[in-house]
Amino acid sequence: MSSTKAPFGLQPVTLRGNSLNNGGLQRYSMGPTVAKDTGRNDPVAVSTNGYVVRLSGTLRPMGVATGYSWVDPVTGRPTWSNYVAAGTSSADQNVYAYVVDIGSGVFAVQADATVSQGDFGLNYNLSAVGSINALGTSQAVLKASTRTTAQATVRLVGFVQVPGNAAGDAFPICEVRWNAQWDATVSAF
């Protein structure tokens, strides 16, 4: 598994401290029209206009989007999807993202290169956010070359315990948490 690069974005795994995880999602508006393609398991943030967008630049992560809904402007029917394309609009003026937004969340993400046990506790940025496969799944990965003790998007807190996955593998599946999740900080953005 971790000898092959097959990214799947950030997948919710557990909560820090192994707290009870009810799998809850929160619905947030992406606005009347979506600006960028956003897939299942894509990290998202709150933009300065108050809408949820795909994580980019200096925005603080708020969570991971697991699905989307909107009202088709032609048919007037509700639509649910794992993926929402740029330019998608909603008849009710709200395309919604369903987000795992808990600040103590731990997520599985595949690294784009070797990450070792000695890297435990270091910080990393993500790469390929917004790249989406044919099934609508995010291709976001932990960017191994960004390892640092300075501030970065996520912190390595472990390795997913499944057969064929281990620290030091070519593309290990790592467990990470947000470093500065938007809801856990004092400043707004």
Side-chain angles (χ1 to χ4, degrees):
M1 180 184 283
S2 59
S3 63
T4 304
K5 188 174 178 185
F8 49 83
L10 279 82
Q11 197 169 55
V13 175
T14 188
L15 301 177
R16 272 185 292 181
N18 289 320
S19 301
L20 180 63
N21 184 358
N22 67 5
L25 303 172
Q26 183 66 40
R27 184 178 80 165
Y28 292 97
S29 177
M30 297 181 83
T33 304
V34 176
K36 296 180 180 179
D37 293 350
T38 311
R40 181 174 56 102
N41 296 339
D42 248 341
V44 293
V46 176
S47 68
T48 55
N49 66 6
Y51 293 122
V52 168
V53 296
R54 191 178 70 211
L55 181 64
S56 65
T58 60
L59 293 175
R60 288 193 184 116
M62 72 173 303
V64 173
T66 60
Y68 308 88
S69 69
W70 62 92
V71 177
D72 187 291
V74 175
T75 66
R77 294 183 178 171
T79 304
W80 288 268
S81 179
N82 287 333
Y83 160 82
V84 63
T88 298
S89 60
S90 182
D92 70 354
Q93 298 299 301
N94 281 296
V95 176
Y96 291 106
Y98 296 86
V99 179
V100 176
D101 65 350
I102 189 159
S104 61
V106 175
F107 302 90
V109 62
Q110 189 169 38
D112 67 350
T114 300
V115 176
S116 71
Q117 186 62 42
D119 296 326
F120 182 85
L122 293 179
N123 300 322
Y124 293 83
N125 285 317
L126 302 171
S127 179
V129 173
S131 297
I132 298 164
N133 70 15
L135 299 174
T137 302
S138 172
Q139 299 296 283
V141 293
L142 181 112
K143 185 75 175 161
S145 64
T146 65
R147 68 179 51 86
T148 183
T149 56
Q151 178 66 32
T153 308
V154 296
R155 174 165 294 161
L156 178 67
V157 296
F159 295 89
V160 174
Q161 301 298 308
V162 294
N165 185 61
D169 284 350
F171 306 104
I173 299 173
C174 304
E175 291 182 347
V176 299
R177 68 168 180 83
W178 302 121
N179 267 329
Q181 195 250 3
W182 77 284
D183 199 27
T185 57
V186 176
S187 60
F189 296 99

